[in-house]
Amino acid sequence: MPLTHQVILITGAGGGLGSTAALTLAKQGAHIILLDKNIPKLEAAYDAITAAQAPEPIIYPFDLAGANENEFQELADKIDEKYGSLQGVLHSAVELSAFSPIAVTSTKDWGHTLNVNLNAPFLLSRVLLPVLQKSSHASIVFTSDSSARTAPAFSGAYGVSKIALEGLAKILAEELEASGKIRVNTLIPGPVDSPLRKRVYPAEDKSRLPSMASLAAVYLYLFGSESIGVTGQAIDARTFHL
């Protein structure tokens, strides 16, 4: 199994894409740290991984929007203490309640969305960099949206956060490129039949969409040895092929 002895942290691990990635990577031998605020969903992801006889994951309940800087640092310290290094981080947590005009977006909703989708990935990446740098090769993957670059009307704080997130990934990739240790890329999953998609596009015919399991190959690529040396890229799952 190509990911044996790899330790990978996944945010939003109780969500559709996060749990799909967790199971996919665990089946290849990775030790997964499941991070989410929803404990029942974390437990479901844990059960799916253990049922597949993959390495037992760790559940880490964590509220990305509500945690303070010290709590982020405590998470990094615990990972360092338990594992000594970290080989991957997948930022899969997302906040998108509904599409709405900027004119009616409340300050609270704006701040909460940016906290989950942008500020938390920044903070988490920053505190984990020292642990990632202890690995000979490590991968940070941010999750964006196929519509981010077009900045469509009514995408609001979600749209702004994804545009900014791609910029953050690009900047971080360039800053870390010289060391050759940590690669940073953005995954664009494209429309898939996920719980979030069902909620946001309730009238859409989901039978026409790819399943979440269709993303397995791109997750394995981004965290596997094949992507070593690939950094600063936006990988679109719809056009991905090895």
Side-chain angles (χ1 to χ4, degrees):
M1 293 191 288
L3 297 180
T4 301
H5 306 308
Q6 303 281 299
V7 181
I8 300 171
L9 169 70
I10 299 177
T11 73
L17 299 192
S19 60
T20 297
L23 181 59
T24 296
L25 299 171
K27 283 181 175 179
Q28 295 302 314
H31 294 266
I32 306 297
I33 302 169
L34 301 165
L35 189 145
D36 202 298
K37 67 179 181 180
N38 189 312
I39 295 177
K41 288 184 177 180
L42 279 177
E43 291 173 341
Y46 175 95
D47 290 343
I49 290 172
T50 54
Q53 298 184 319
E56 184 179 4
I58 285 180
I59 287 178
Y60 200 104
F62 196 85
D63 183 358
L64 290 169
N68 61 39
E69 197 164 344
N70 290 336
E71 289 167 321
F72 276 91
Q73 187 60 58
E74 181 183 354
L75 167 61
D77 292 342
K78 286 182 176 179
I79 293 172
D80 191 14
E81 181 180 339
K82 180 171 180 61
Y83 296 106
S85 64
L86 185 66
Q87 286 72 49
V89 180
L90 172 61
H91 296 285
S92 195
V94 63
E95 177 62 34
L96 172 57
S97 53
F99 293 118
S100 62
I102 293 290
V104 300
T105 301
S106 71
T107 304
K108 180 181 178 181
D109 287 344
W110 180 272
H112 178 72
T113 301
L114 289 180
N115 272 340
V116 174
N117 294 350
L118 181 62
N119 296 336
F122 151 70
L123 258 176
L124 190 57
S125 297
R126 193 192 71 189
V127 298
L128 289 175
L129 281 178
V131 197
L132 290 160
Q133 286 165 341
K134 293 183 177 182
S135 302
S136 55
H137 294 288
S139 175
I140 299 175
V141 177
F142 295 92
T143 306
S144 189
D145 188 293
S146 54
S147 66
R149 292 179 185 83
T150 62
F154 310 115
S155 59
Y158 171 80
V160 169
S161 68
K162 292 303 182 181
I163 293 166
L165 191 70
E166 290 197 25
L168 169 63
K170 190 76 174 174
I171 291 167
L172 186 59
E174 291 208 13
E175 291 180 357
L176 298 174
E177 189 172 15
S179 72
K181 282 189 170 186
I182 305 174
R183 57 197 186 276
V184 183
N185 294 291
T186 300
L187 169 63
I188 300 171
V192 294
D193 186 11
S194 67
L196 177 64
R197 186 86 185 180
K198 285 185 174 72
R199 193 173 78 244
V200 179
Y201 297 95
E204 183 181 47
D205 181 2
K206 302 301 184 296
S207 67
R208 297 176 178 271
L209 296 179
S211 68
M212 293 185 292
S214 68
L215 298 172
V218 71
Y219 283 126
L220 290 173
Y221 168 76
L222 286 166
F223 289 99
S225 59
E226 295 90 347
S227 63
I228 291 175
V230 176
T231 193
Q233 302 301 306
I235 310 295
D236 193 322
R238 296 169 298 178
T239 57
F240 171 77
H241 55 85
L242 285 173

